[in-house]
Amino acid sequence: MLGTIFDIKHFAVHDGPGIRQTIFFKGCPLNCWWCHNPESQDVNPEKFIKINKLDGKEFRKEVTVGYKIAVDELFKIILGDQVFFEESGGGVTFSGGEPLMQIDFLYKIAKLCKQNNIHTCIDTTGFASDKEIKKIAEVTDLFLYDIKLIDNELHKKYTGVHIDKILRNLKWLDQNNKKAILRFPVIPGITDTEKNISEIKSFIKSLKNINQIDLLPYHNISNGKYSRFKKENKMSNTQALSDNDMKLLKTEFESIEFNVSIGG
Amino acid sequence: MNTRIKKLRNQSLTAVNKLSPERAILVTEFYKKDIANQVSSRQLSGPVKRAMTFKYILENKKICINENELIVGERGPAPKETPTYPEVSLHSIQDLDILDTRPKVWFRVDNETKEIYEKEIIPFWKGNSQRDKIFAQLSDEWKAAYEAGVFTEFQEQRAPGHTVAGKKIFQKGMLDLKKEIQESIAKHKSSNDPKVSDKIEELKAMDIAANAIIAFAHRHAITLINLAEIEKDEQRKMELIEMARVCRKVPANAPETFHEMLQHYWFIHLGVITEVNPWDSFNPGRLDQHLYPFYKQEIKNGSLTKEEAIELLQAFWIKFNNHPSPPKMGVTALESNTYTDFSLINLGGLKEDGTDAVNELTYILLDVIEEMRILQPSSMVQISKKNPDSFVQRAIKISKSGFGQPSFFNTDAIIKELINQGKSIIDARNGGASGCVETGAFGTESYILTGYFNLNKILEITLHNGIDPKINKKIGIKTGDPRSFKNIDELLDAYKKQVNYFADIKLKGNNIIEKLYAEQLPVPFLSLIIEDCISNGVDYNAGGARYNTSYVQGVGLGSIADNLSSIKYNVFDHKNITIDELLKAMEANFEGYDQLRHDLIYETPKYGNDDDYVDSLAVDVFNIFYDAINSKPTYRGGKFRINMLPTTSHVYFGSVIKATADGRKALEPLSEGISPFQGADKKGPTAVLKSAAKIDHIKTGGTLLNQKFSPSFFKDDQSITKLSHLVRSYFKMDGHHIQFNVVSAITLRDAQKYPEKHTDLIVRVAGYSDYFNDLGENLQNEIIRRTEHEDFY
C-alpha cells in the first residue's frame, strides 16, 4: 500500500504534545487563500525548479515535490525517532495537505503506530465523510482540527468548500469523547472579523468536551513558495497581526472558558 | 550582585592582559643559585629541586590583595598579569613582540620585560627548556607529521596537567598530608623496593612543597594584618582580620567553614598553576558536592547567611577570571588561541553512593553562573537519569541567555566510560568532565591530553598514496594508488594503514615526552593533591596517580564521514565521476568544476541527517581511530585512550588541507567535535543526535557535540521542556555531551562589523565559550555559518 507525501519534519514542536515527527500528506480538497503549503494541494507529484546558490552562482535543477512511500517504509522512518517520542511524550502527527484524503493509507500507518504504542495525531481540515472520520478516530489519539469561518458561503469563497460537513464531523468527535484541539488561523480581514469570531465563539461554546483552541497567527513566510511553485498568491499584500492583537484575541477566547494558546 | 562584587567583577573584566616576567626572573635566579651551590658540593635530586624552585617563587613573589576582595591570592603580581614558564617553554623576543602587538588575545609586554628576557631569561634557558629538549629527541617522522599538521602536541609548551581536585583535598589540610608523607616514607624505608631512594626524594619534595604553600598563605595573612592596621573603615578592618585568620588556618589545616573552604581551594589552585603551567587549568570539580556540607552546617548554626554564601561564591568566581591561560607560542597559538584556561565547574550528577547529588547549593551555584556571566570559570551540569527535570530545565534557561554556559553532560555515560577504563565505581561516581569535555576520575587520575589528531589530513595523504599534496612531500606510507581501488572498503583499508602508521609515530613521540617530564620536570605540589602519589611515593608526572591515562583527540569526524560518503556515493555507487577526475577537481580547488562542487555539497549524503549510508562511515573511521590508539601502554604505566574534541584545532587542521571530496575548498575549517559539518545537517536536531549517537561514546573519554539553536527555541517553558527532553533522549542513547549556541546570525554579523558595540558578546566555540571579538576572523565566519544555518529551523 502506497501513500503520497511531500515532506517529513523531525523535531516538530508545534504539532501536538512532546517532540513529534510530522508527516505531510500531499493533496487537499480545500484551497485556502492563505495556505502555507501551496505545494500540498495537488495530490499528484509536481515538478518545479529548485535554485541552489553557491559562491554567488545559481544552480537550477528540476525537482519533484511529493513521492510515493509504502506503509512499512514510512513506519521505519517514524520508528527512528521513537527515543524522542518516549522521552517527551511525543509521537507522530499526520498533516498535509489533508491526510484524510488518503484514508486507507492513513488508517494503515496510524494503526501500525498505535499497535506500537506511538501517540498519533491528525492535523485535519475535517473535510471528510462521517464514515472516514469514524474510521480514523479508532486509531487517533488527538485531532488538531481547523476551524476557519462559520459562514457557509464565506467558507466556500475562501477555502473552496462548504463548512457544514466539517462542523458535523467536529460535533461527532465531541459527542464521542474524542480528544481534539481546535486551530483557528487568524487571517487579517478574512477570519478575524468581529462577526466570524463571535460566530466561532458561540459554536464552540456548544461543544461539551473540547475546550482548547490554538490561535495561529497569519505570517507571510510562504510568499516565496507561491512564486517558486508558480501558484497564484491572493494574499501577497496581507500584513501579519501584531502580538498585541493576538493577545487581545486570546483574552476573548479565554472569556468563554477555553484554554487558548498562540501558535499551537 | 552587590556593589563590592560589581566593582571586583568590573576590575577583572577591564584589567589589562599583561605578560609578567616575575616568575621567569625568580625561576632563573633559583636555578642560577642552585648551579652555584652544586659547584660547592650539594646536588639536589630532580623532585627536590623542583620543590625548592616552587618554594623560592612563593617566598619571593609579590603578594597582591585587591581592594575589597574576600578571597585572596594572585598567580601574577596583579589580576590578568600572567607569568611565563621558561623552564617549560621559552618565549623568544619575536614571540613577545607578537604577543604584544597581535590584534586578538594579546598580552602587553613592556620594554623592561623584553630587556630582562633578552639579557637574563633567554640566554639562560635557550636549549634548556623542556620544549627544546623535547624537540631535540623526537624522530624525523614525528617532526614531518607534526609540521604537516597530522597532529599537534600539547606538552611541547605546557606541562602535563589536566586533572581535577577530588574530595580528599576538601577534607584535609597540608599538615594532614605531611603526616601521610611521613607514614609513606616509613613504609618505603622498611621495604626492599629498589627504587626506595627515588621515592624518599619524591616524598621529601612533596613535604617541601606542602610547607611552601603554608608559608605562602601566611605571607598573605601578614599582609592582611598590615592592611587592617591602616584600614579606616571598621567593617573592612574586621573583614581583613578575619581573612588573615583564614589564611593562617588554611591550607595548613582542613577547612571548617564555607569561607575557609573557598580560600583553601584557591591557595591549592594557585599552587598548581604556579608550579608549572599544566594544560588545562586545574579546577575544583564537583563544587556543589564539596561545598554543600559546609553550607548546610553553617546555615543551620547561623554562622552564614545565603547572601553571604553567594557573595563569597561570586568573589571566588572572579578569582578564576583574573587568571587567563598562559600565553602560547607557535602553532599552539593557532590551534587554541584563547584567554580561557578551561576550569570547568561540575554541578549535579550522582553522589558516590549512586544517589541523586543535586542539592540546594547546586541551584545557588546556577544562579551565580547566570548572574556573573563571565568566561572563567566555565561551568557544566552533570545530568543523570536520577536527577530531577527541574534541574535540567533550570540549566537550559541559563544557556538560553546565549553565553554557552552551562554545557550538558551525561553522568551515566561518564560513569560507564570510567568503569570501561577500569576505574572503581566509587572513583567513577566521584568523577566528571573537565577542560572541554574530558572524562576523568577527579582527585585520583592523571589524564593528559597529548594532542589533536587530524583524521582528514590522513585521508588526504591516503588519497595521494602517502604523499602530502600540500607540501608535495612523502610523509605517509605507500598504500596504493586510489585510482586502483574498486570500492570504498579498499579505500578504508588503505586509510586504516595510514592511521595506524601515524598513530604509532604519535604514541612513540608521546612516550619520549612523558619520560622527559617524569625525569626532568616532576610536580611535587600537584602530587600532594592527586591520590595515590603520596602512598606510592611517585610523582604525578611519573605515574604516581591511581589512574594514568593519555588521550589523543580525534578531530573532524563529520568532515571525514562526508568525504568518504562523497567518494562512495559519487565514485563507487553512482559512478557520477571517476576518482581521477575527482582528485583533479580537488587539486584545482574546484576552479572550473562549479557544477561538480554543487553536486558534492547539495546532492551527496551528509553526516548529521540520521542516514546510515554516511553515518556508518563515521562509525568505521571512529573504530579505525579507536583501534589504533586505545589500550596501548604509556610510559607512565597507563593506557592511551581517545576522545573526540577539537577546541579550535578544526580551523588549524583545515588550514593544512587542500580541497576535499565533500566540496569544501582548500584551507577552510573542518567540522568540529562530532558535530556535522557546518550546514550539512538538514533534518533538525533529532537527526543530528541520532547520527552522533551511532559511534560508541562509552569507548571514549569524551565527545563534543555543538547544537545551534535560534533564540526562538527558548521562548517559553514549554519549549524549554522540549529541549530538556531532547537532551535526555540523547543521553538515553549514551551521548556524552551537548552544548547549545543560542545567538542569531544577525547579531553576530553586526558584531563582526561593529565589534565595539558587542564587547560583551560571548559565544560557544567548542567545549568552551569565548568573547566573539577575541576570535579569529575565520573562526568568527565559521560560527556565523553554523548559526545562519540554524536560523532556518
Side-chain angles (χ1 to χ4, degrees):
Chain A
M1 171 105 219
L2 296 173
T4 307
I5 63 172
F6 71 94
D7 199 9
I8 296 174
K9 186 174 168 55
H10 303 264
F11 197 58
V13 291
H14 304 295
D15 301 330
I19 296 172
R20 310 195 69 81
Q21 192 183 116
T22 302
I23 315 293
F24 292 91
F25 283 56
K26 194 154 160 47
C28 186
L30 280 63
N31 52 4
C32 306
W33 284 27
W34 53 85
C35 183
H36 281 171
N37 292 326
E39 74 274 30
S40 71
Q41 291 173 355
D42 191 333
V43 74
N44 297 306
E46 293 169 83
K47 291 193 189 315
F48 80 105
I49 302 294
K50 191 179 169 201
I51 301 169
N52 288 323
K53 282 188 187 155
L54 188 61
D55 290 342
K57 283 183 197 138
E58 287 190 348
F59 293 83
R60 286 158 186 276
K61 197 187 165 202
E62 191 181 70
V63 295
T64 310
V65 174
Y67 55 95
K68 297 219 182 285
I69 189 163
V71 171
D72 292 353
E73 201 186 331
L74 180 58
F75 184 63
K76 214 175 120 191
I77 296 171
I78 294 168
L79 265 190
D81 287 346
Q82 199 172 16
V83 63
F84 304 102
F85 304 156
E86 286 177 358
E87 190 61 44
S88 67
V92 64
T93 298
F94 301 104
S95 181
E98 173 49 65
L100 286 167
M101 259 186 101
Q102 302 180 49
I103 181 70
D104 293 339
F105 176 75
L106 177 67
Y107 180 79
K108 282 213 163 99
I109 186 72
K111 189 173 176 191
L112 203 47
C113 289
K114 280 317 309 156
Q115 284 167 346
N116 287 276
N117 293 317
I118 294 170
H119 182 272
T120 55
C121 179
I122 311 274
D123 180 10
T124 179
T125 63
F127 189 80
S129 71
D130 53 351
K131 216 176 120 195
E132 287 164 343
I133 281 286
K134 282 172 193 168
K135 184 175 178 186
I136 205 64
E138 293 167 24
V139 288
T140 302
D141 293 307
L142 176 69
F143 286 88
L144 302 178
Y145 204 101
D146 277 13
I147 184 152
K148 298 170 180 121
L149 287 154
I150 297 290
D151 184 291
N152 217 4
E153 289 318 307
L154 285 176
H155 199 277
K156 168 91 182 158
K157 178 182 171 192
Y158 288 110
T159 74
V161 302
H162 286 114
I163 195 173
D164 39 3
K165 208 151 77 170
I166 294 172
L167 294 182
R168 194 184 63 222
N169 285 334
L170 180 57
K171 276 186 197 148
W172 183 87
L173 289 175
D174 185 57
Q175 280 154 8
N176 289 277
N177 297 318
K178 302 295 177 190
K179 279 192 189 147
I181 296 173
L182 301 176
R183 307 196 117 190
F184 173 40
V186 186
I187 313 300
I190 300 175
T191 68
D192 73 340
T193 62
E194 214 169 299
K195 177 170 171 284
N196 187 46
I197 286 168
S198 118
E199 284 170 356
I200 287 182
K201 275 164 62 183
S202 69
F203 175 79
I204 66 176
K205 254 200 301 200
S206 71
L207 299 170
K208 56 175 186 151
N209 289 313
I210 297 167
N211 66 350
Q212 189 174 341
I213 187 163
D214 293 343
L215 309 179
L216 310 181
Y218 172 80
H219 49 82
N220 36 26
I221 52 161
S222 304
N223 284 355
K225 275 193 182 177
Y226 277 89
S227 53
R228 208 178 326 145
F229 294 103
K230 300 204 166 50
K231 302 214 179 203
E232 186 198 359
N233 184 358
K234 296 171 180 162
M235 305 284 296
S236 55
N237 293 320
T238 308
Q239 292 306 312
L241 251 67
S242 71
D243 287 354
N244 205 33
D245 287 343
M246 290 304 293
K247 276 184 198 144
L248 286 174
L249 203 55
K250 182 170 185 260
T251 320
E252 218 180 317
F253 279 98
E254 278 164 349
S255 72
I256 54 163
E257 283 168 15
F258 258 67
N259 295 319
V260 190
S261 67
I262 296 172
Chain B
M1 193 179 315
N2 63 26
T3 324
R4 179 213 305 266
I5 298 297
K6 263 188 204 147
K7 275 191 185 156
L8 287 170
R9 182 177 181 273
N10 195 43
Q11 181 191 40
S12 183
L13 290 177
T14 55
V16 175
N17 283 287
K18 251 179 97 175
L19 189 144
S20 158
E22 184 186 51
R23 188 185 177 285
I25 293 169
L26 292 172
V27 171
T28 310
E29 267 174 25
F30 179 80
Y31 270 70
K32 278 185 178 168
K33 277 185 197 165
D34 184 55
I35 288 169
N37 284 339
Q38 279 174 33
V39 175
S40 67
S41 78
R42 185 180 61 125
Q43 177 140 18
L44 301 175
S45 69
V48 168
K49 183 169 171 180
R50 287 304 297 168
M52 298 284 284
T53 310
F54 179 66
K55 179 169 173 266
Y56 189 78
I57 298 167
L58 295 186
E59 277 171 352
N60 293 289
K61 80 172 291 302
K62 185 177 171 234
I63 299 292
C64 167
I65 313 273
N66 297 304
E67 201 183 327
N68 262 322
E69 71 178 351
L70 291 169
I71 307 293
V72 293
E74 290 286 333
R75 173 181 55 182
K80 289 195 179 168
E81 293 195 13
T82 306
T84 55
Y85 303 78
E87 75 273 42
V88 181
S89 56
L90 178 65
H91 289 89
S92 66
I93 292 296
Q94 193 195 6
D95 287 331
L96 298 182
D97 284 336
I98 291 171
L99 285 171
D100 189 18
T101 54
R102 68 182 179 195
K104 291 178 180 188
V105 194
W106 42 261
F107 287 86
R108 295 287 171 252
V109 187
D110 57 31
N111 287 335
E112 201 186 332
T113 302
K114 284 181 195 164
E115 207 182 303
I116 291 166
Y117 251 79
E118 200 160 12
K119 289 198 177 135
E120 302 285 334
I121 315 293
I122 294 174
F124 185 79
W125 290 105
K126 202 166 168 56
N128 290 315
S129 74
Q130 191 74 357
R131 187 168 195 243
D132 292 337
K133 289 176 194 166
I134 288 169
F135 280 112
Q137 289 200 19
L138 290 166
S139 68
D140 290 343
E141 288 82 12
W142 189 96
K143 283 177 193 157
Y146 174 81
E147 278 155 21
V150 174
F151 49 69
T152 67
E153 177 50 60
F154 274 42
Q155 296 166 88
E156 49 101 6
Q157 46 188 288
R158 289 189 73 173
H162 215 108
T163 193
V164 174
K167 63 177 187 177
K168 172 178 106 165
I169 64 145
F170 297 97
Q171 296 166 355
K172 284 184 180 172
M174 289 294 149
L175 297 174
D176 301 314
L177 300 182
K178 279 167 64 72
K179 262 188 221 142
E180 286 182 15
I181 291 169
Q182 291 316 315
E183 285 161 18
S184 182
I185 288 177
K187 179 184 84 184
H188 287 291
K189 267 191 179 158
S190 65
S191 77
N192 42 18
D193 184 344
K195 287 187 177 167
V196 65
S197 61
D198 291 350
K199 291 184 174 177
I200 305 290
E201 283 300 311
E202 174 67 30
L203 287 161
K204 270 192 209 161
M206 290 187 206
D207 193 62
I208 295 166
N211 289 335
I213 201 80
I214 295 172
F216 183 58
H218 286 177
R219 289 185 67 210
H220 284 82
I222 292 165
T223 311
L224 287 163
I225 287 297
N226 291 342
L227 286 170
E229 276 166 13
I230 54 168
E231 179 61 52
K232 302 242 161 41
D233 183 298
E234 270 310 305
Q235 203 189 335
R236 178 63 181 162
K237 195 193 246 321
M238 296 308 289
E239 262 177 20
L240 288 165
I241 291 167
E242 168 64 7
M243 286 157 71
R245 182 197 67 76
V246 171
C247 292
R248 285 217 178 82
K249 178 163 175 189
V250 294
N253 302 283
E256 288 174 291
T257 69
F258 197 78
H259 183 174
E260 285 170 12
M261 205 222 81
L262 291 172
Q263 184 66 65
H264 175 75
Y265 172 77
W266 189 248
F267 278 127
I268 288 167
H269 186 92
L270 285 180
V272 174
I273 65 173
T274 300
E275 184 175 41
V276 278
N277 54 355
W279 173 235
D280 302 307
S281 178
F282 195 58
N283 103 61
R286 306 279 299 274
L287 194 59
D288 56 343
Q289 304 309 302
H290 303 315
L291 271 174
Y292 188 54
F294 299 92
Y295 178 80
K296 202 165 83 178
Q297 192 201 335
E298 278 203 85
I299 291 288
K300 198 177 154 202
N301 67 25
S303 60
L304 181 80
T305 65
K306 186 179 165 186
E307 289 66 36
E308 285 165 345
I310 290 172
E311 187 184 34
L312 281 163
L313 286 170
Q314 291 178 334
F316 183 68
W317 242 244
I318 289 161
K319 296 309 287 187
F320 284 90
N321 204 59
N322 285 352
H323 292 77
S325 163
K328 298 167 191 104
M329 57 193 79
V331 78
T332 307
L334 290 174
E335 86 199 31
S336 178
N337 200 11
T338 172
Y339 291 126
T340 304
D341 208 15
F342 303 97
S343 277
L344 185 65
I345 306 275
N346 282 228
L347 301 176
L350 295 179
K351 294 187 212 167
E352 67 178 33
D353 65 3
T355 56
D356 174 17
V358 171
N359 59 47
E360 194 190 342
L361 195 62
T362 314
Y363 289 96
I364 292 177
L365 280 157
L366 286 170
D367 293 342
V368 168
I369 291 161
E370 187 173 40
E371 204 184 350
M372 293 308 282
R373 209 184 155 84
I374 45 181
L375 276 195
Q376 300 196 93
S378 192
S379 56
M380 65 89 120
V381 287
Q382 282 198 28
I383 298 169
S384 158
K385 57 182 184 246
K386 292 182 186 169
N387 295 139
D389 284 341
S390 57
F391 168 58
V392 185
Q393 286 164 18
R394 174 73 187 100
I396 291 177
K397 275 186 192 164
I398 300 175
S399 70
K400 153 186 161 179
S401 68
F403 81 120
Q405 291 189 30
S407 48
F408 300 82
F409 283 82
N410 182 354
T411 302
D412 306 315
I414 286 174
I415 291 172
K416 281 194 228 169
E417 289 160 21
L418 288 167
I419 288 174
N420 177 51
Q421 296 178 353
K423 275 100 177 169
S424 77
I425 190 153
I426 301 291
D427 289 339
R429 284 179 182 148
N430 281 321
S434 58
C436 287
V437 297
E438 299 87 297
T439 300
F442 294 173
T444 52
E445 184 177 16
S446 160
Y447 49 115
I448 292 169
L449 301 197
T450 71
Y452 301 109
F453 198 74
N454 196 341
L455 297 166
N456 286 278
K457 181 74 195 175
I458 298 175
L459 180 62
E460 187 181 44
I461 292 166
T462 311
L463 288 170
H464 293 85
N465 199 8
I467 292 169
D468 175 1
K470 177 106 190 322
I471 49 174
N472 231 332
K473 185 177 151 189
K474 183 172 173 291
I475 63 163
I477 48 172
K478 285 202 166 181
T479 47
D481 183 342
R483 290 161 192 85
S484 69
F485 296 159
K486 286 176 206 69
N487 53 47
I488 195 73
D489 292 337
E490 289 187 16
L491 175 59
L492 280 168
D493 280 346
Y495 178 71
K496 186 184 171 92
K497 285 177 193 147
Q498 300 280 3
V499 167
N500 288 341
Y501 171 75
F502 286 111
D504 199 41
I505 293 174
K506 171 77 184 151
L507 302 192
K508 274 185 187 146
N510 194 72
N511 285 333
I512 291 172
I513 294 168
E514 284 190 4
K515 181 168 189 274
L516 275 167
Y517 273 104
E519 288 173 355
Q520 313 255 341
L521 216 61
V523 281
F525 183 73
L526 182 56
S527 304
L528 286 165
I529 312 302
I530 302 303
E531 298 179 82
D532 303 315
C533 295
I534 297 178
S535 62
N536 288 336
V538 178
D539 193 85
Y540 174 90
N541 279 356
R546 189 173 302 163
Y547 308 107
N548 292 280
T549 311
S550 299
Y551 280 108
V552 181
Q553 300 92 248
V555 174
L557 188 68
S559 286
I560 194 161
D562 290 353
N563 285 322
L564 289 168
S565 162
S566 175
I567 294 168
K568 183 179 182 206
Y569 185 86
N570 294 301
V571 176
F572 296 122
D573 289 358
H574 291 265
K575 308 212 181 325
N576 296 332
I577 187 171
T578 65
I579 189 110
D580 187 55
E581 286 169 301
L582 181 59
L583 288 171
K584 277 185 187 142
M586 283 155 61
E587 180 60 33
N589 201 20
F590 298 113
E591 295 296 329
Y593 292 90
D594 288 345
Q595 184 63 47
L596 172 66
R597 180 159 179 258
H598 166 270
D599 294 349
L600 298 179
I601 292 173
Y602 286 101
E603 308 286 337
T604 302
K606 304 275 183 185
Y607 171 80
N609 297 292
D610 190 16
D611 177 354
D612 283 338
Y613 185 89
V614 41
D615 296 348
S616 64
L617 294 165
V619 172
D620 288 339
V621 170
F622 172 84
N623 288 331
I624 287 172
F625 176 52
Y626 175 82
D627 291 340
I629 306 282
N630 189 63
S631 279
K632 302 266 161 74
T634 70
Y635 176 81
R636 295 180 302 144
K639 292 268 172 33
F640 282 105
R641 307 279 182 197
I642 63 162
N643 43 27
M644 305 297 286
L645 67 104
T647 315
T648 60
S649 68
H650 60 296
V651 177
Y652 164 63
F653 277 174
S655 77
V656 298
I657 303 178
K658 298 177 93 170
T660 42
D662 57 353
R664 170 194 150 281
K665 285 201 159 185
L667 320 185
E668 294 281 316
L670 303 165
S671 66
E672 40 77 25
I674 57 166
S675 317
F677 186 73
Q678 304 77 20
D681 50 318
K682 306 279 188 203
K683 290 191 178 168
T686 52
V688 172
L689 301 189
K690 286 284 303 290
S691 287
K694 286 177 194 173
I695 59 166
D696 186 352
H697 294 236
I698 304 305
K699 283 155 86 176
T700 74
T703 61
L704 184 147
L705 180 66
N706 210 333
Q707 183 63 47
K708 288 74 66 180
F709 282 101
S710 66
S712 63
F713 255 106
F714 294 73
K715 66 177 173 35
D716 53 28
D717 285 351
Q718 210 192 352
S719 310
I720 303 255
T721 305
K722 288 185 182 180
L723 283 171
S724 76
H725 291 142
L726 195 68
V727 171
R728 295 260 199 195
S729 304
Y730 184 52
F731 289 178
K732 223 177 185 176
M733 295 185 280
D734 283 343
H736 172 88
H737 151 277
I738 183 170
Q739 64 193 23
F740 297 134
N741 225 346
V742 189
V743 59
S744 73
I746 298 165
T747 308
L748 296 179
R749 285 209 180 282
D750 196 60
Q752 220 178 14
K753 223 167 160 184
Y754 309 105
E756 67 283 3
K757 287 198 308 193
H758 298 275
T759 51
D760 62 342
L761 179 63
I762 299 175
V763 293
R764 196 77 189 168
V765 182
Y768 71 104
S769 297
D770 211 338
Y771 286 108
F772 188 71
N773 286 352
D774 281 343
L775 303 175
E777 200 186 334
N778 45 4
L779 192 54
Q780 285 184 341
N781 288 337
E782 194 244 58
I783 287 174
I784 291 172
R785 272 203 301 280
R786 288 186 210 165
T787 311
E788 257 172 354
H789 173 61
E790 193 52 43
D791 281 352
F792 287 111
Y793 287 135

